[in-house]
Amino acid sequence: MQDGSARPEGQCGPLFDTAITRLFGIRHPVLAGGLMWLADAPYVAAVVRGGGMGFITSRSSPDLPAFQTQLTRCRELSGGLPFGVNLSTSRHTAVPLMDYLDAALAAGVRHFETAGRAPADDLIRVIRDSGAIVIHKVPTIRHALTAERLGVHAVALVGMECGGHPGINTDMPATLGGAIAASRLRIPFAIGGGIGTGGQILAALAVGADAVVIGTRFLAGAEVSAHPAFKARMVAAGEEDSAVAFAGKTALGGAWRVLDNATLREVRRREAAGLAEHADFADLLAGSLSRDACYRDGDVERGMLSMGASACFIDRVEPIGAIIDRLMREAAAARARLARLAAGQPTVSLG
């Protein structure tokens, strides 16, 4: 497994200048999704060296020293490029939220992604007073407008297609949410959910977004700290291998889009039997099950493994920098196709 220290070949130069590329100082309008257990130093460093922005998931660390070690390692692997930290505002964490923030600021981090409940005023104030940037991840336009009023610099609007927890149950597709956000938000925004090609990146920019959020498409990245068997399963995944559990059940955390495996099928069996309390599913929902049984030991049938349908675009294990390069080349080709259409030129031979 690569550790993210080698700079990938053939990095694409900047193709798009947006409010978010300027806000984060990145080459490409690509923000990496916060993958629980997997958004660690090698992953995040590979994303930022590839021209995007990544966020170390703070709550994946068991204690503050472990988190500080991740920060130090990411600074080394990123070659001095800025990177970000993900702060959960709703989930239980091993360390108080403000302790994570203080440690990150002390380490020189100035880019933050918050996710969960609306960020508290003191959290936003500390981040802004430190000269740092904060983007808040939201599932609906209503939540985006609330975050805007609270003073975040940008929002990431995730749709029903995204792997993991969208935040609440929503039927809103990412691109539709983006088109609505373009007419209602005054701050920059990214959209995420189901994005796995460069053409989709161009489409997101066309509807008004300033960047995209990508998580699933990176799951087979060479720098991802997961077992080779898991990455092989991602390469083999098709568009029908993603499924949703707990739709409409906020007491269980709400909708969760995951790989259709034995654990998901057992969850659905219990749902069909009328079970509805967290205790009825606790043995299946423990995050450590995914971390240990799958990501560490390679059993892809165990654990609720967050994954969207865009896994169908994964066709190989390769460095994350190469994935971003490929996405941007596809975006450039899609832009060129639109230019030909606008000029009245045929895009295919009528032979």
Side-chain angles (χ1 to χ4, degrees):
M1 183 180 301
Q2 297 186 17
D3 66 359
S5 59
R7 184 173 292 275
E9 297 293 330
Q11 289 184 338
C12 292
L15 296 175
F16 305 102
D17 178 21
T18 75
I20 283 183
T21 62
R22 295 190 296 273
L23 190 65
F24 288 104
I26 52 180
R27 291 198 312 277
H28 305 308
V30 173
L31 309 179
L35 311 177
M36 184 60 180
W37 308 123
L38 300 178
D40 57 8
Y43 167 79
V44 170
V47 171
V48 301
R49 288 197 333 274
M53 177 53 64
F55 305 89
I56 293 175
T57 303
S58 58
R59 66 188 179 92
S60 294
S61 295
D63 52 41
L64 196 58
F67 176 61
Q68 291 169 321
T69 296
Q70 287 291 318
L71 297 174
T72 299
R73 190 177 183 207
C74 194
R75 184 168 59 249
E76 294 169 350
L77 294 176
S78 64
L81 292 172
F83 61 91
V85 164
N86 170 284
L87 300 170
S88 172
T89 60
S90 59
R91 294 176 181 272
H92 170 75
T93 57
V95 177
L97 180 63
M98 297 304 288
D99 289 355
Y100 281 133
L101 174 59
D102 290 343
L105 290 172
V109 175
R110 292 297 181 271
H111 299 89
F112 293 92
E113 175 192 63
T114 54
R117 296 187 179 93
D121 289 342
D122 59 339
L123 177 66
I124 299 299
R125 185 178 65 255
V126 171
I127 291 175
R128 293 192 68 117
D129 287 350
S130 70
I133 300 299
V134 57
I135 182 170
H136 185 60
K137 188 176 291 183
V138 297
T140 69
I141 301 298
R142 173 170 58 88
H143 291 86
L145 290 168
T146 297
E148 181 180 70
R149 287 195 298 271
L150 290 172
V152 302
H153 295 88
V155 293
L157 183 66
V158 295
M160 61 182 290
E161 311 96 324
C162 79
H165 293 284
I168 65 169
N169 300 311
T170 177
D171 295 326
M172 181 75 72
T175 52
L176 176 57
I180 297 170
S183 66
R184 299 189 188 175
L185 292 176
R186 293 170 297 170
I187 57 175
F189 69 94
I191 59 174
I195 296 173
T197 70
Q200 291 171 290
I201 294 175
L202 187 68
L205 299 178
V207 300
D210 298 284
V212 295
V213 179
I214 295 179
T216 295
R217 181 64 182 84
F218 291 143
L219 286 175
E223 298 86 356
V224 172
S225 302
H227 195 282
F230 170 74
K231 296 183 184 182
R233 182 65 184 89
M234 294 300 98
V235 172
E239 63 271 22
E240 297 181 356
D241 288 342
S242 171
V244 176
F246 306 128
K249 298 182 179 179
T250 55
L252 287 163
W256 194 350
R257 185 173 291 279
V258 296
L259 172 68
D260 189 349
N261 64 1
T263 299
L264 183 277
R265 291 189 288 275
E266 175 59 19
V267 164
R268 287 190 160 176
R269 186 193 69 78
R270 296 184 192 183
E271 286 186 293
L275 301 180
E277 300 299 322
H278 188 277
D280 298 325
F281 300 88
D283 59 315
L284 303 175
L285 301 185
S288 57
L289 182 62
S290 301
R291 180 193 64 196
D292 298 339
C294 179
Y295 300 143
R296 186 190 67 192
D297 298 337
D299 187 346
V300 298
E301 295 300 324
R302 298 183 65 197
M304 295 287 280
L305 308 176
S306 296
M307 186 199 82
S310 58
C312 68
F313 299 118
I314 302 173
D315 59 1
R316 71 193 79 164
V317 176
E318 60 184 331
I320 288 175
I323 297 172
I324 294 176
D325 270 4
R326 187 146 52 125
L327 290 171
M328 300 318 297
R329 287 196 300 270
E330 291 170 354
R335 185 174 65 179
R337 178 179 182 274
L338 290 183
R340 292 194 297 273
L341 288 173
Q345 300 172 2
T347 58
V348 295
S349 172
L350 300 180

Short mmCIF file of all heavy atoms in Angstrom, two decimals, residues 255-310:
data_model
loop_
_atom_site.label_atom_id
_atom_site.label_comp_id
_atom_site.label_asym_id
_atom_site.label_seq_id
_atom_site.Cartn_x
_atom_site.Cartn_y
_atom_site.Cartn_z
N ALA A 255 -31.43 7.73 6.97
CA ALA A 255 -30.99 6.95 5.82
C ALA A 255 -29.48 6.78 5.79
O ALA A 255 -28.73 7.70 6.10
CB ALA A 255 -31.48 7.62 4.53
N TRP A 256 -29.05 5.60 5.39
CA TRP A 256 -27.63 5.27 5.33
C TRP A 256 -27.40 4.48 4.05
O TRP A 256 -27.89 3.36 3.91
CB TRP A 256 -27.24 4.45 6.55
CG TRP A 256 -25.76 4.31 6.79
CD1 TRP A 256 -24.75 4.66 5.97
CD2 TRP A 256 -25.15 3.77 7.97
NE1 TRP A 256 -23.53 4.37 6.54
CE2 TRP A 256 -23.75 3.83 7.77
CE3 TRP A 256 -25.65 3.23 9.16
CZ2 TRP A 256 -22.84 3.36 8.72
CZ3 TRP A 256 -24.75 2.77 10.10
CH2 TRP A 256 -23.36 2.84 9.89
N ARG A 257 -26.68 5.06 3.10
CA ARG A 257 -26.41 4.39 1.83
C ARG A 257 -25.09 3.63 1.94
O ARG A 257 -24.04 4.21 2.21
CB ARG A 257 -26.35 5.40 0.68
CG ARG A 257 -26.18 4.74 -0.69
CD ARG A 257 -26.30 5.74 -1.82
NE ARG A 257 -27.65 6.26 -1.96
CZ ARG A 257 -28.64 5.63 -2.59
NH1 ARG A 257 -28.41 4.44 -3.15
NH2 ARG A 257 -29.82 6.19 -2.68
N VAL A 258 -25.17 2.32 1.70
CA VAL A 258 -24.03 1.43 1.96
C VAL A 258 -23.91 0.37 0.86
O VAL A 258 -24.80 0.22 0.01
CB VAL A 258 -24.19 0.72 3.33
CG1 VAL A 258 -24.17 1.73 4.46
CG2 VAL A 258 -25.47 -0.11 3.36
N LEU A 259 -22.82 -0.37 0.92
CA LEU A 259 -22.65 -1.55 0.07
C LEU A 259 -23.69 -2.59 0.45
O LEU A 259 -23.93 -2.87 1.63
CB LEU A 259 -21.24 -2.12 0.27
CG LEU A 259 -20.96 -3.47 -0.41
CD1 LEU A 259 -20.94 -3.32 -1.93
CD2 LEU A 259 -19.63 -4.05 0.08
N ASP A 260 -24.32 -3.18 -0.54
CA ASP A 260 -25.29 -4.25 -0.31
C ASP A 260 -24.52 -5.53 0.02
O ASP A 260 -24.02 -6.22 -0.87
CB ASP A 260 -26.16 -4.45 -1.56
CG ASP A 260 -27.32 -5.39 -1.30
OD1 ASP A 260 -27.33 -6.05 -0.26
OD2 ASP A 260 -28.22 -5.48 -2.17
N ASN A 261 -24.38 -5.81 1.32
CA ASN A 261 -23.66 -7.00 1.76
C ASN A 261 -24.48 -7.74 2.79
O ASN A 261 -25.65 -7.44 3.04
CB ASN A 261 -22.27 -6.61 2.31
CG ASN A 261 -22.35 -5.75 3.56
OD1 ASN A 261 -23.43 -5.44 4.06
ND2 ASN A 261 -21.19 -5.35 4.07
N ALA A 262 -23.87 -8.75 3.43
CA ALA A 262 -24.61 -9.58 4.38
C ALA A 262 -25.12 -8.77 5.56
O ALA A 262 -26.22 -9.02 6.08
CB ALA A 262 -23.72 -10.72 4.86
N THR A 263 -24.34 -7.79 6.01
CA THR A 263 -24.78 -6.96 7.14
C THR A 263 -26.00 -6.14 6.76
O THR A 263 -26.96 -6.05 7.53
CB THR A 263 -23.63 -6.05 7.60
OG1 THR A 263 -22.54 -6.86 8.04
CG2 THR A 263 -24.08 -5.17 8.76
N LEU A 264 -25.98 -5.54 5.59
CA LEU A 264 -27.13 -4.75 5.15
C LEU A 264 -28.36 -5.64 5.01
O LEU A 264 -29.47 -5.25 5.41
CB LEU A 264 -26.79 -4.06 3.83
CG LEU A 264 -27.79 -3.10 3.16
CD1 LEU A 264 -28.82 -3.85 2.34
CD2 LEU A 264 -28.47 -2.20 4.16
N ARG A 265 -28.19 -6.84 4.49
CA ARG A 265 -29.35 -7.72 4.32
C ARG A 265 -29.92 -8.14 5.67
O ARG A 265 -31.13 -8.29 5.82
CB ARG A 265 -28.96 -8.93 3.48
CG ARG A 265 -28.67 -8.56 2.02
CD ARG A 265 -28.50 -9.76 1.14
NE ARG A 265 -27.24 -10.46 1.38
CZ ARG A 265 -26.09 -10.14 0.82
NH1 ARG A 265 -26.01 -9.10 -0.02
NH2 ARG A 265 -24.99 -10.84 1.07
N GLU A 266 -29.07 -8.33 6.69
CA GLU A 266 -29.55 -8.65 8.02
C GLU A 266 -30.29 -7.45 8.63
O GLU A 266 -31.31 -7.61 9.30
CB GLU A 266 -28.41 -9.08 8.92
CG GLU A 266 -28.78 -9.34 10.38
CD GLU A 266 -29.84 -10.42 10.57
OE1 GLU A 266 -30.06 -11.23 9.64
OE2 GLU A 266 -30.45 -10.45 11.66
N VAL A 267 -29.78 -6.25 8.40
CA VAL A 267 -30.48 -5.05 8.85
C VAL A 267 -31.88 -5.00 8.25
O VAL A 267 -32.88 -4.77 8.94
CB VAL A 267 -29.69 -3.78 8.47
CG1 VAL A 267 -30.57 -2.54 8.56
CG2 VAL A 267 -28.48 -3.62 9.36
N ARG A 268 -31.99 -5.25 6.96
CA ARG A 268 -33.29 -5.20 6.30
C ARG A 268 -34.22 -6.30 6.80
O ARG A 268 -35.44 -6.11 6.90
CB ARG A 268 -33.10 -5.28 4.79
CG ARG A 268 -32.54 -3.98 4.21
CD ARG A 268 -32.57 -3.98 2.71
NE ARG A 268 -32.49 -2.63 2.19
CZ ARG A 268 -32.42 -2.34 0.90
NH1 ARG A 268 -32.44 -3.32 0.00
NH2 ARG A 268 -32.35 -1.10 0.49
N ARG A 269 -33.66 -7.48 7.11
CA ARG A 269 -34.48 -8.57 7.65
C ARG A 269 -35.09 -8.15 8.98
O ARG A 269 -36.28 -8.36 9.23
CB ARG A 269 -33.64 -9.83 7.83
CG ARG A 269 -34.45 -11.06 8.25
CD ARG A 269 -33.56 -12.18 8.71
NE ARG A 269 -32.90 -11.86 9.98
CZ ARG A 269 -33.52 -11.91 11.17
NH1 ARG A 269 -34.79 -12.25 11.26
NH2 ARG A 269 -32.85 -11.61 12.27
N ARG A 270 -34.28 -7.50 9.83
CA ARG A 270 -34.79 -7.06 11.13
C ARG A 270 -35.79 -5.93 10.96
O ARG A 270 -36.78 -5.85 11.70
CB ARG A 270 -33.63 -6.63 12.02
CG ARG A 270 -32.68 -7.77 12.37
CD ARG A 270 -31.59 -7.31 13.33
NE ARG A 270 -30.52 -8.32 13.43
CZ ARG A 270 -29.47 -8.23 14.24
NH1 ARG A 270 -29.34 -7.16 15.03
NH2 ARG A 270 -28.55 -9.17 14.26
N GLU A 271 -35.54 -5.03 10.01
CA GLU A 271 -36.51 -3.97 9.74
C GLU A 271 -37.86 -4.57 9.33
O GLU A 271 -38.92 -4.14 9.80
CB GLU A 271 -36.00 -3.05 8.63
CG GLU A 271 -34.90 -2.10 9.03
CD GLU A 271 -34.56 -1.14 7.90
OE1 GLU A 271 -34.04 -1.57 6.85
OE2 GLU A 271 -34.83 0.07 8.07
N ALA A 272 -37.80 -5.57 8.43
CA ALA A 272 -39.04 -6.20 7.97
C ALA A 272 -39.78 -6.91 9.10
O ALA A 272 -41.01 -7.06 9.06
CB ALA A 272 -38.71 -7.19 6.85
N ALA A 273 -39.03 -7.36 10.12
CA ALA A 273 -39.64 -8.03 11.26
C ALA A 273 -40.23 -7.04 12.27
O ALA A 273 -40.77 -7.44 13.29
CB ALA A 273 -38.60 -8.92 11.95
N GLY A 274 -40.10 -5.75 11.98
CA GLY A 274 -40.69 -4.74 12.83
C GLY A 274 -39.78 -4.16 13.89
O GLY A 274 -40.22 -3.35 14.72
N LEU A 275 -38.52 -4.55 13.91
CA LEU A 275 -37.59 -4.01 14.89
C LEU A 275 -37.28 -2.55 14.54
O LEU A 275 -37.08 -2.22 13.36
CB LEU A 275 -36.31 -4.83 14.93
CG LEU A 275 -36.50 -6.32 15.27
CD1 LEU A 275 -35.18 -7.05 15.28
CD2 LEU A 275 -37.21 -6.49 16.61
N ALA A 276 -37.23 -1.70 15.55
CA ALA A 276 -37.08 -0.27 15.25
C ALA A 276 -36.23 0.49 16.26
O ALA A 276 -36.03 1.69 16.10
CB ALA A 276 -38.45 0.39 15.16
N GLU A 277 -35.73 -0.17 17.28
CA GLU A 277 -34.92 0.50 18.29
C GLU A 277 -33.44 0.31 17.99
O GLU A 277 -33.04 -0.69 17.39
CB GLU A 277 -35.24 -0.03 19.69
CG GLU A 277 -36.68 0.16 20.11
CD GLU A 277 -37.07 1.62 20.14
OE1 GLU A 277 -36.22 2.46 20.56
OE2 GLU A 277 -38.20 1.95 19.76
N HIS A 278 -32.64 1.27 18.42
CA HIS A 278 -31.20 1.18 18.16
C HIS A 278 -30.61 -0.10 18.74
O HIS A 278 -29.74 -0.74 18.12
CB HIS A 278 -30.48 2.39 18.74
CG HIS A 278 -29.03 2.46 18.35
ND1 HIS A 278 -28.03 1.77 19.02
CD2 HIS A 278 -28.41 3.14 17.34
CE1 HIS A 278 -26.87 2.02 18.45
NE2 HIS A 278 -27.07 2.84 17.43
N ALA A 279 -31.09 -0.51 19.89
CA ALA A 279 -30.57 -1.72 20.53
C ALA A 279 -30.79 -2.96 19.68
O ALA A 279 -30.02 -3.93 19.77
CB ALA A 279 -31.21 -1.90 21.90
N ASP A 280 -31.82 -2.94 18.83
CA ASP A 280 -32.11 -4.09 17.97
C ASP A 280 -31.06 -4.26 16.87
O ASP A 280 -30.98 -5.34 16.27
CB ASP A 280 -33.49 -3.92 17.32
CG ASP A 280 -34.61 -3.84 18.33
OD1 ASP A 280 -34.52 -4.52 19.36
OD2 ASP A 280 -35.58 -3.09 18.08
N PHE A 281 -30.28 -3.22 16.62
CA PHE A 281 -29.31 -3.24 15.53
C PHE A 281 -27.88 -2.96 16.01
O PHE A 281 -26.96 -2.91 15.18
CB PHE A 281 -29.68 -2.20 14.47
CG PHE A 281 -31.01 -2.40 13.85
CD1 PHE A 281 -32.16 -1.84 14.42
CD2 PHE A 281 -31.16 -3.14 12.69
CE1 PHE A 281 -33.41 -2.02 13.84
CE2 PHE A 281 -32.40 -3.32 12.10
CZ PHE A 281 -33.53 -2.77 12.67
N ALA A 282 -27.71 -2.78 17.31
CA ALA A 282 -26.43 -2.31 17.83
C ALA A 282 -25.26 -3.18 17.41
O ALA A 282 -24.16 -2.69 17.13
CB ALA A 282 -26.49 -2.21 19.35
N ASP A 283 -25.46 -4.50 17.35
CA ASP A 283 -24.37 -5.40 16.99
C ASP A 283 -23.93 -5.23 15.54
O ASP A 283 -22.80 -5.56 15.17
CB ASP A 283 -24.77 -6.86 17.23
CG ASP A 283 -26.00 -7.26 16.42
OD1 ASP A 283 -26.97 -6.48 16.38
OD2 ASP A 283 -25.98 -8.36 15.84
N LEU A 284 -24.81 -4.68 14.71
CA LEU A 284 -24.50 -4.49 13.29
C LEU A 284 -24.00 -3.08 12.98
O LEU A 284 -23.34 -2.88 11.96
CB LEU A 284 -25.75 -4.75 12.45
CG LEU A 284 -26.40 -6.13 12.61
CD1 LEU A 284 -27.68 -6.19 11.80
CD2 LEU A 284 -25.44 -7.24 12.18
N LEU A 285 -24.32 -2.13 13.85
CA LEU A 285 -24.03 -0.73 13.56
C LEU A 285 -22.73 -0.23 14.15
O LEU A 285 -22.30 0.88 13.85
CB LEU A 285 -25.17 0.16 14.07
CG LEU A 285 -26.55 -0.14 13.48
CD1 LEU A 285 -27.56 0.88 13.98
CD2 LEU A 285 -26.51 -0.16 11.97
N ALA A 286 -22.10 -1.01 15.00
CA ALA A 286 -20.84 -0.56 15.62
C ALA A 286 -19.83 -0.21 14.54
O ALA A 286 -19.52 -1.01 13.66
CB ALA A 286 -20.29 -1.65 16.53
N GLY A 287 -19.33 1.02 14.61
CA GLY A 287 -18.34 1.45 13.61
C GLY A 287 -17.10 0.59 13.61
O GLY A 287 -16.46 0.40 12.58
N SER A 288 -16.76 0.05 14.77
CA SER A 288 -15.57 -0.78 14.86
C SER A 288 -15.71 -2.05 14.03
O SER A 288 -14.71 -2.66 13.64
CB SER A 288 -15.28 -1.14 16.32
OG SER A 288 -16.40 -1.79 16.91
N LEU A 289 -16.95 -2.48 13.74
CA LEU A 289 -17.16 -3.66 12.91
C LEU A 289 -16.63 -3.41 11.49
O LEU A 289 -15.91 -4.23 10.93
CB LEU A 289 -18.64 -4.04 12.87
CG LEU A 289 -19.02 -5.29 12.07
CD1 LEU A 289 -18.36 -6.53 12.66
CD2 LEU A 289 -20.54 -5.46 12.03
N SER A 290 -16.99 -2.26 10.93
CA SER A 290 -16.47 -1.90 9.61
C SER A 290 -14.96 -1.73 9.65
O SER A 290 -14.24 -2.24 8.79
CB SER A 290 -17.12 -0.60 9.13
OG SER A 290 -18.51 -0.72 9.05
N ARG A 291 -14.48 -1.02 10.67
CA ARG A 291 -13.05 -0.74 10.78
C ARG A 291 -12.23 -2.01 10.88
O ARG A 291 -11.22 -2.18 10.16
CB ARG A 291 -12.81 0.14 12.01
CG ARG A 291 -11.35 0.52 12.23
CD ARG A 291 -11.17 1.10 13.62
NE ARG A 291 -11.47 0.12 14.66
CZ ARG A 291 -11.69 0.42 15.93
NH1 ARG A 291 -11.68 1.69 16.33
NH2 ARG A 291 -11.94 -0.54 16.81
N ASP A 292 -12.65 -2.92 11.76
CA ASP A 292 -11.83 -4.10 12.05
C ASP A 292 -12.10 -5.26 11.10
O ASP A 292 -11.17 -5.84 10.54
CB ASP A 292 -12.05 -4.55 13.50
CG ASP A 292 -11.65 -3.49 14.50
OD1 ASP A 292 -10.86 -2.60 14.14
OD2 ASP A 292 -12.12 -3.54 15.65
N ALA A 293 -13.37 -5.60 10.91
CA ALA A 293 -13.70 -6.78 10.10
C ALA A 293 -13.43 -6.55 8.62
O ALA A 293 -12.91 -7.43 7.94
CB ALA A 293 -15.15 -7.18 10.31
N CYS A 294 -13.77 -5.34 8.13
CA CYS A 294 -13.61 -5.09 6.70
C CYS A 294 -12.33 -4.35 6.36
O CYS A 294 -11.46 -4.87 5.68
CB CYS A 294 -14.82 -4.33 6.16
SG CYS A 294 -14.66 -3.96 4.40
N TYR A 295 -12.21 -3.11 6.84
CA TYR A 295 -11.08 -2.29 6.41
C TYR A 295 -9.74 -2.88 6.85
O TYR A 295 -8.75 -2.78 6.13
CB TYR A 295 -11.22 -0.87 6.94
CG TYR A 295 -12.47 -0.16 6.46
CD1 TYR A 295 -13.16 0.71 7.30
CD2 TYR A 295 -12.95 -0.34 5.17
CE1 TYR A 295 -14.31 1.37 6.87
CE2 TYR A 295 -14.10 0.30 4.73
CZ TYR A 295 -14.77 1.15 5.59
OH TYR A 295 -15.90 1.80 5.14
N ARG A 296 -9.73 -3.51 8.03
CA ARG A 296 -8.47 -4.11 8.50
C ARG A 296 -8.28 -5.53 8.00
O ARG A 296 -7.20 -5.90 7.52
CB ARG A 296 -8.44 -4.10 10.03
CG ARG A 296 -7.10 -4.57 10.62
CD ARG A 296 -7.20 -4.77 12.12
NE ARG A 296 -8.10 -5.89 12.46
CZ ARG A 296 -8.55 -6.13 13.69
NH1 ARG A 296 -8.22 -5.32 14.69
NH2 ARG A 296 -9.35 -7.17 13.91
N ASP A 297 -9.34 -6.39 8.12
CA ASP A 297 -9.20 -7.82 7.86
C ASP A 297 -9.71 -8.26 6.50
O ASP A 297 -9.46 -9.39 6.09
CB ASP A 297 -9.91 -8.62 8.96
CG ASP A 297 -9.32 -8.37 10.34
OD1 ASP A 297 -8.14 -7.96 10.41
OD2 ASP A 297 -10.03 -8.60 11.34
N GLY A 298 -10.47 -7.41 5.80
CA GLY A 298 -10.85 -7.72 4.43
C GLY A 298 -12.16 -8.46 4.23
O GLY A 298 -12.44 -8.92 3.12
N ASP A 299 -13.00 -8.59 5.27
CA ASP A 299 -14.28 -9.28 5.12
C ASP A 299 -15.32 -8.26 4.67
O ASP A 299 -15.90 -7.53 5.49
CB ASP A 299 -14.70 -9.91 6.45
CG ASP A 299 -15.94 -10.79 6.31
OD1 ASP A 299 -16.62 -10.69 5.27
OD2 ASP A 299 -16.23 -11.56 7.24
N VAL A 300 -15.60 -8.22 3.38
CA VAL A 300 -16.48 -7.19 2.83
C VAL A 300 -17.95 -7.46 3.12
O VAL A 300 -18.81 -6.61 2.81
CB VAL A 300 -16.27 -7.04 1.30
CG1 VAL A 300 -14.86 -6.60 1.01
CG2 VAL A 300 -16.61 -8.34 0.58
N GLU A 301 -18.28 -8.60 3.71
CA GLU A 301 -19.66 -8.89 4.06
C GLU A 301 -20.02 -8.40 5.45
O GLU A 301 -21.19 -8.44 5.84
CB GLU A 301 -19.92 -10.40 3.96
CG GLU A 301 -19.81 -10.96 2.56
CD GLU A 301 -20.79 -10.32 1.59
OE1 GLU A 301 -21.92 -10.01 2.01
OE2 GLU A 301 -20.44 -10.13 0.42
N ARG A 302 -19.06 -7.91 6.19
CA ARG A 302 -19.32 -7.48 7.56
C ARG A 302 -19.15 -5.97 7.69
O ARG A 302 -18.17 -5.40 7.20
CB ARG A 302 -18.39 -8.20 8.54
CG ARG A 302 -18.58 -9.72 8.54
CD ARG A 302 -17.70 -10.37 9.57
NE ARG A 302 -18.10 -9.97 10.93
CZ ARG A 302 -17.32 -10.11 12.00
NH1 ARG A 302 -16.09 -10.61 11.86
NH2 ARG A 302 -17.75 -9.75 13.19
N GLY A 303 -20.12 -5.35 8.36
CA GLY A 303 -20.07 -3.91 8.59
C GLY A 303 -20.97 -3.15 7.64
O GLY A 303 -21.24 -3.59 6.52
N MET A 304 -21.45 -2.01 8.11
CA MET A 304 -22.20 -1.09 7.27
C MET A 304 -21.17 -0.21 6.55
O MET A 304 -20.58 0.71 7.14
CB MET A 304 -23.14 -0.24 8.12
CG MET A 304 -24.23 -1.05 8.79
SD MET A 304 -25.51 -1.61 7.63
CE MET A 304 -26.49 -0.11 7.49
N LEU A 305 -20.92 -0.52 5.29
CA LEU A 305 -19.81 0.08 4.55
C LEU A 305 -20.36 1.18 3.63
O LEU A 305 -20.96 0.91 2.58
CB LEU A 305 -19.09 -0.99 3.73
CG LEU A 305 -18.65 -2.23 4.54
CD1 LEU A 305 -18.05 -3.28 3.61
CD2 LEU A 305 -17.68 -1.84 5.64
N SER A 306 -20.15 2.43 4.03
CA SER A 306 -20.69 3.55 3.28
C SER A 306 -20.18 3.54 1.84
O SER A 306 -18.97 3.47 1.60
CB SER A 306 -20.29 4.87 3.96
OG SER A 306 -20.87 4.97 5.24
N MET A 307 -21.11 3.59 0.90
CA MET A 307 -20.75 3.55 -0.52
C MET A 307 -21.94 3.99 -1.36
O MET A 307 -23.06 3.54 -1.15
CB MET A 307 -20.36 2.12 -0.92
CG MET A 307 -19.83 2.00 -2.35
SD MET A 307 -19.89 0.29 -2.98
CE MET A 307 -21.62 0.19 -3.50
N GLY A 308 -21.70 4.88 -2.30
CA GLY A 308 -22.74 5.31 -3.22
C GLY A 308 -22.66 4.56 -4.54
O GLY A 308 -21.70 3.81 -4.81
N ALA A 309 -23.65 4.76 -5.38
CA ALA A 309 -23.71 4.06 -6.66
C ALA A 309 -22.60 4.47 -7.61
O ALA A 309 -22.30 3.76 -8.58
CB ALA A 309 -25.07 4.29 -7.32
N SER A 310 -21.95 5.60 -7.35
CA SER A 310 -20.85 6.02 -8.22
C SER A 310 -19.65 5.09 -8.13
O SER A 310 -18.67 5.25 -8.87
CB SER A 310 -20.41 7.46 -7.89
OG SER A 310 -20.00 7.57 -6.55
#
